[in-house]
Amino acid sequence: MECAGKGSRTPCCGGPPTRRCHRCRAVAYCSLSHQVSHRSVHKRECERLEQQVKSADMLNDFPFTFTQQTNQVVETRCSFLTGHGIHRLGMWMYECSCGLSSISFDNTRLIDCWNLPSELCPCKGPSSPIPPKRLTTWKDYYEWRCIPLYSPAALLLHWPLTIYWAIQLATGESLLPEISNELRIHYLGPEKELLQLAVFGELQAIFPGVQVHIDLVGPAISHLRDGERIDLNIYAQCNEMDCRCKYSVANHSEGITTRHSRAITLRLHAGCYHDRYRDLLKDSFPHIIIAPNAGIAAYTSWLPTLEVIKEIKVPAVFSDYCEEASHLAASCISSVTGTAPKIPIQINPFRQPLRVEESALYIPCYSNCFVFGL
């Protein structure tokens, strides 16, 4: 947590920011002088932040037994992952800060194991191949996929489920026609997803019979991986050697195909979207653009990208960690496009159910927490 007055005329006192605004309780200062000097800036946001703090209970409301436990006990991500036996393993490597030092996005080997028992992860196809008409909560999804509510799988599944929810919102606003047999997505700004790509195989279950093509574009993608193609023909596996999911792997290696073969195709592209979009449009004009945890207000590189999205007239859905970041992003979108977002800022029911530990504000922050779009 940083002092909200950091960067003012006088340097911070060096101590922790313990003086919280008595009204909104969302920001804190290192000293009284910084609180006073920042007052003219903060008064424009104070009421808005106060309302966001009041929505904390709603944002913290999850059906999982493990979220109830973490709300009662101050628990770090490391201790949570350690308690489930998945700390710094495989796809979970990037889910805590201590794994960051060993992260390399140059790795071309697909990490395709949940490191969880079969009962805790969707390592096989669903028992009911057709999902309910509309999944609207984590509880809906877990019941359909027969996963117990104490499973931490949602910490990774929020990526494909956020794609699902973005499609639902765009379709509901008539920005996107009903999906038939093909779905083309331009996915902007991936980072930790690059080490968790196998979870996108879950889209086979969510969109049965649909060929899903996802072009992932972003500066975090190494130039060594530029143009790399990944076909997800099977689900990420569990850690049980005798599980049925291992037979799917064997069949695939022997050339035995199913109706899901080549169902999900991922292609990686290094660089910013506004620098790469012309070549991408030649090969794959998207049905929709999705940008998770976009941080539009924080990065100036978004301005030319928003201009491109406006130019090509493709529906775009964004997400961010908190309501305030989404509010600032919506202002940026309006200033560039001249119109307000067509999909208003709203809570993503499939946000990651574990708080972001390092937040700039004393408000609830979750990966893919709020969604909005144009």
Side-chain angles (χ1 to χ4, degrees), residues 131-137 140 164-165 167-170 172 346 350:
K133 183 63 177 176
R134 194 182 191 196
L135 301 166
T136 59
T137 66
D140 290 342
Y164 167 79
W165 192 246
I167 299 296
Q168 298 303 307
L169 292 178
Q346 56 195 279
F350 297 110

Side-chain angles (χ1 to χ4, degrees), residues 285 308-315:
F285 199 93
V308 167
I309 294 173
K310 176 184 176 182
E311 174 190 336
I312 64 178
K313 298 179 180 179
V314 172

Side-chain angles (χ1 to χ4, degrees), residues 2-15:
E2 291 185 344
C3 171
K6 183 179 180 181
S8 58
R9 295 178 181 177
T10 57
C12 289
C13 68

Side-chain angles (χ1 to χ4, degrees), residues 34-64:
H34 268 192
Q35 185 172 8
V36 172
S37 65
H38 193 247
R39 185 170 296 159
S40 61
V41 175
H42 180 59
K43 69 180 182 181
R44 296 193 295 269
E45 63 185 9
C46 187
E47 183 178 356
R48 187 171 69 242
L49 290 174
E50 181 184 15
Q51 294 304 312
Q52 293 175 28
V53 170
K54 289 179 179 178
S55 67
D57 288 344
M58 186 183 305
L59 290 177
N60 296 336
D61 185 21
F62 293 100
F64 306 109

Side-chain angles (χ1 to χ4, degrees), residues 150-172:
Y150 53 84
S151 166
L155 269 67
L156 301 184
L157 286 167
H158 72 107
W159 299 120
L161 268 294
T162 293
I163 289 178
Y164 167 79
W165 192 246
I167 299 296
Q168 298 303 307
L169 292 178
T171 303

Side-chain angles (χ1 to χ4, degrees), residues 25-268:
R25 307 293 295 171
V27 300
Y29 300 90
C30 67
S31 63
L32 177 60
S33 62
H34 268 192
Q35 185 172 8
V36 172
S37 65
H38 193 247
R39 185 170 296 159
S40 61
V41 175
H42 180 59
K43 69 180 182 181
R44 296 193 295 269
E45 63 185 9
C46 187
E47 183 178 356
R48 187 171 69 242
L49 290 174
E50 181 184 15
Q51 294 304 312
Q52 293 175 28
V53 170
K54 289 179 179 178
S55 67
D57 288 344
M58 186 183 305
L59 290 177
N60 296 336
D61 185 21
F62 293 100
F64 306 109
T65 54
F66 62 79
T67 56
Q68 297 166 11
Q69 295 166 359
T70 54
N71 285 339
Q72 295 169 1
V73 180
V74 178
E75 185 176 26
T76 66
R77 279 181 169 244
C78 289
S79 61
F80 174 83
L81 296 170
T82 299
H84 285 79
I86 49 179
H87 185 233
R88 299 191 66 178
L89 288 179
M91 294 190 293
W92 304 94
M93 177 70 74
Y94 203 6
E95 286 305 316
C96 63
S97 57
C98 72
L100 296 179
S101 60
S102 57
I103 292 299
S104 173
F105 294 130
D106 294 345
N107 186 6
T108 59
R109 183 180 68 83
L110 182 68
I111 304 170
D112 60 357
C113 182
W114 281 99
N115 293 104
L116 292 171
S118 176
E119 67 166 331
L120 300 185
C121 61
C123 60
K124 305 173 289 294
S127 56
S128 172
I130 304 300
K133 183 63 177 176
R134 194 182 191 196
L135 301 166
T136 59
T137 66
W138 275 121
K139 192 169 186 286
D140 290 342
Y141 170 79
Y142 265 51
E143 288 179 350
W144 171 54
R145 290 298 264 130
C146 302
I147 303 174
L149 290 174
Y150 53 84
S151 166
L155 269 67
L156 301 184
L157 286 167
H158 72 107
W159 299 120
L161 268 294
T162 293
I163 289 178
Y164 167 79
W165 192 246
I167 299 296
Q168 298 303 307
L169 292 178
T171 303
E173 293 291 336
S174 300
L175 302 175
L176 190 68
E178 291 286 342
I179 303 302
S180 54
N181 59 354
E182 185 181 38
L183 175 60
R184 297 186 302 277
I185 300 169
H186 285 183
Y187 187 101
L188 310 190
E191 290 186 352
K192 67 169 62 177
E193 302 99 299
L194 298 173
L195 296 177
Q196 302 169 340
L197 292 175
V199 299
F200 288 92
E202 183 61 14
L203 294 172
Q204 298 174 81
I206 298 171
F207 297 112
V210 178
Q211 294 286 313
V212 181
H213 306 270
I214 306 178
D215 286 285
L216 298 96
V217 191
I221 296 173
S222 167
H223 286 279
L224 297 174
R225 303 188 70 180
D226 189 37
E228 179 183 338
R229 171 174 168 157
I230 301 167
D231 290 323
L232 299 177
N233 306 302
I234 56 177
Y235 297 96
Q237 305 166 54
C238 68
N239 61 4
E240 297 176 4
M241 293 308 298
D242 58 348
C243 178
R244 186 159 50 90
C245 70
K246 303 302 185 296
Y247 300 120
S248 298
V249 176
N251 288 342
H252 174 62
S253 64
E254 294 171 7
I256 302 173
T257 60
T258 69
R259 69 187 184 92
H260 289 309
S261 294
R262 295 181 299 282
I264 313 297
T265 299
L266 312 177
R267 193 180 293 275
L268 309 184

